[in-house]
Amino acid sequence: MENYLYAIITGIAAGFISRVVMLRNDHRNYPTYPHGHLTHLSLGFMAAALGAVAIPAIAEEDYTAVTFLVLAAQQFRDIRNMERETLNRLEETKLVPRGADYIEGIARVFEARNYLVIFSALITSGLAWYLNGIYALAGAVICVLFSLCFMNGSFIGDIAEIERGELHFEGSLLKINDIVFNNVGLPQVRKKIMDEALGVIIKPKDDNARLTLDAFGQRMAIIHDVVSILGSKVEMDEKDLMPMARKDPDKGYLALYIVANEPDLEVLIEVIKKVPVLESSYNTTLKTFSGRKAAD
Amino acid sequence: MDIGLYGIILAIVTTAEADRIYGGACPIFTAYEDKEKNELSFKLARILGGAVHDLGNGVHIICRHH
C-alpha cells in the first residue's frame, strides 16, 4: 500500500510540476491570470493523477482500472474544444483578431501539454514503482526538460529576415516599397500615417518560409502579436489605421504596416522575430522531391 | 474573420460637373472644391462608420469595411 502511495504521489508531483513549468503568462495574457491559470493547473493535476496511477494499476493486473484510465485520458481532447470555443468568442470583441489558425494552434498546444503531463507522471511513477526514488527523480527531471523542449517551436526570426520598409504614398495609395496596401482618401489621415506609421519588410529565407508566410493565418498571428505589444490606433468604424500585412506576389516577401501606440521600429522588428510559426502554416515543401525540383 | 479592407460603398463625394453625374444605387454628394470635398468625406465617414478612398479623378468613395 505504501509503495502504491509513494509511486502515485511521485508521479503526480512530477506531472504537476511539468504543467506548472509549461504554463506561461506573457504579453498575450492567455490563459488569463488567475482563473485561466487555475483551470489549467487543475486539469494538469487531474492529468498527472491519471498518469500516475496507470503503472500501479497495471502492476496489480487491474485491467478494468487501466481501461477506465484510457477512457478518462480521452476526455482531455475536450480541452481543445474548450479553448477553441473560448478564444472564438473573444474574437468577436477584438479589433485585431487572432485568426482561426492561431486559435487552433493555441488549443492544440493546451491539449498536447496535458498529454505531456500524463506522460511525465506515467514515467516517473513507473520508475518509482519498479526502481527507486533516485531514478524517479532523474526521470522526472528528464521528463520536465523533454516537455520544455517540446514547447519550443520555431519563430518568424528563424525563417525570415526583417528590415525597415520604405513607407510612402503614391497619390492616395499607401505603399511599402512597391507593395500597395490601401487607398487613403483624406489628406489629414495620409499625414498622420506618414508621421506615425511603421512599415517593415519580412523576407523569407527560403521557399519553405515563403509558403509559411503566404499563409493568411500566419500573417494574422504576426499582426495580433505586434498589436498586443505595441498597441494600435485603429478604432471601431475607423479602419484607415487598421494594421495590415501584404505580400509581393513576385518577390515573395511580406510587408507589414501599423500605426502603433508606441512607434518603435526596433521593438517592432524584435516582436515580429519572436512570433511563433504556427503548426498549421508551417511548410516543408523543400523536403519533397517535387518541391526541390520546382524550386531549383 | 479577416484583417484587411473589404466592403461596400456607402456614399460618393465628388467635385465633378453635374452633367457627369448619373443616378445609381449609391447617394452622391457634390462639392465645389477639394477642401469642401475633404470635409464632406470626413464627416460622412464618421457618420456612416466608413473609410474614405480617393479615386484620383475628383471622386471620393466612402466604404464600410468589416
Side-chain angles (χ1 to χ4, degrees):
Chain A
M1 178 65 193
E2 276 178 13
N3 250 354
Y4 295 145
L5 205 61
Y6 175 64
I8 290 170
I9 288 176
T10 321
I12 289 176
F16 189 66
I17 288 168
S18 72
R19 187 67 192 99
V20 171
V21 170
M22 286 188 285
L23 196 62
R24 295 273 170 88
N25 193 18
D26 59 13
H27 62 275
R28 285 164 286 206
N29 194 29
Y30 198 85
T32 51
Y33 184 83
H35 294 102
H37 276 225
L38 195 63
T39 308
H40 283 289
L41 287 176
S42 310
L43 285 165
F45 186 82
M46 283 184 242
L50 274 177
V53 296
I55 297 284
I58 291 170
E60 280 299 301
E61 297 187 354
D62 189 349
Y63 297 117
T64 318
V66 175
T67 313
F68 271 107
L69 285 176
V70 173
L71 280 175
Q74 284 190 343
Q75 298 305 311
F76 284 92
R77 280 189 308 183
D78 282 344
I79 291 175
R80 191 192 292 201
N81 291 334
M82 180 183 87
E83 291 301 327
R84 188 191 291 130
E85 252 177 55
T86 312
L87 287 165
N88 273 329
R89 288 216 180 115
L90 291 174
E91 287 282 270
E92 289 165 18
T93 54
K94 283 198 182 302
L95 279 174
V96 181
R98 279 188 176 86
D101 291 39
Y102 206 176
I103 289 175
E104 206 53 44
I106 293 170
R108 201 178 291 141
V109 162
F110 276 111
E111 185 192 7
R113 283 184 188 173
N114 278 290
Y115 294 138
L116 283 172
V117 167
I118 293 176
F119 179 73
S120 301
L122 188 99
I123 298 285
T124 310
S125 72
L127 289 170
W129 176 261
Y130 287 112
L131 299 169
N132 58 41
I134 302 293
Y135 284 100
L137 183 68
V141 172
I142 290 168
C143 284
V144 171
L145 291 176
F146 178 72
S147 304
L148 283 174
C149 284
F150 246 84
M151 277 176 67
N152 294 328
S154 57
F155 298 94
I156 294 294
D158 300 330
I159 64 162
E161 280 162 11
I162 298 132
E163 57 192 57
R164 183 176 174 277
E166 191 60 48
L167 199 119
H168 62 282
F169 276 98
E170 205 174 284
S172 58
L173 291 179
L174 170 62
K175 294 173 93 175
I176 292 182
N177 292 11
D178 43 5
I179 300 176
V180 178
F181 270 79
N182 187 17
N183 183 314
V184 182
L186 292 172
Q188 63 266 39
V189 180
R190 287 203 284 267
K191 184 175 181 309
K192 187 177 177 63
I193 289 172
M194 282 312 291
D195 290 345
E196 299 177 29
L198 298 173
V200 290
I201 297 290
I202 305 170
K203 283 185 176 163
K205 287 179 181 171
D206 58 19
D207 279 3
N208 285 342
R210 182 174 175 167
L211 283 169
T212 302
L213 290 173
D214 263 4
F216 209 75
Q218 184 64 59
R219 296 190 216 174
M220 288 178 85
I222 295 172
I223 292 170
H224 181 269
D225 271 15
V226 166
V227 170
S228 66
I229 292 182
L230 295 179
S232 165
K233 293 199 173 171
V234 68
E235 179 50 328
M236 272 190 286
D237 292 336
E238 292 176 22
K239 300 291 174 70
D240 282 324
L241 308 180
M242 179 65 103
M244 278 182 272
R246 292 274 183 273
K247 76 166 177 180
D248 184 313
D250 299 322
K251 294 170 191 161
Y253 62 75
L254 208 64
L256 184 138
Y257 143 80
I258 181 172
V259 183
N261 293 335
E262 304 291 339
D264 189 323
L265 187 73
E266 298 301 315
V267 177
L268 174 64
I269 290 173
E270 283 310 308
V271 171
I272 294 172
K273 279 183 182 170
K274 286 178 186 155
V275 174
V277 173
L278 303 180
E279 257 182 58
S280 54
S281 308
Y282 184 63
N283 206 296
T284 55
T285 186
L286 287 179
K287 281 187 182 167
T288 64
F289 174 73
S290 308
R292 281 195 302 275
K293 205 160 173 57
D296 61 17
Chain B
M1 193 65 88
D2 185 9
I3 291 184
L5 297 172
Y6 308 89
I8 51 167
I9 301 175
L10 300 169
I12 295 168
V13 184
T14 177
T15 50
E17 298 296 325
D19 60 346
R20 290 184 65 197
I21 301 173
Y22 303 98
C26 186
I28 301 169
F29 297 80
T30 53
Y32 288 110
E33 49 168 6
D34 276 351
K35 191 168 175 248
E36 188 190 358
K37 182 181 71 182
N38 288 338
E39 280 171 12
L40 258 178
S41 302
F42 175 74
K43 285 174 186 163
L44 281 167
R46 290 296 170 267
I47 293 164
L48 300 168
V52 182
H53 301 296
D54 185 358
L55 300 189
N57 57 347
V59 178
H60 275 183
I61 56 171
I62 292 137
C63 292
R64 175 171 292 165
H65 301 294
H66 45 85

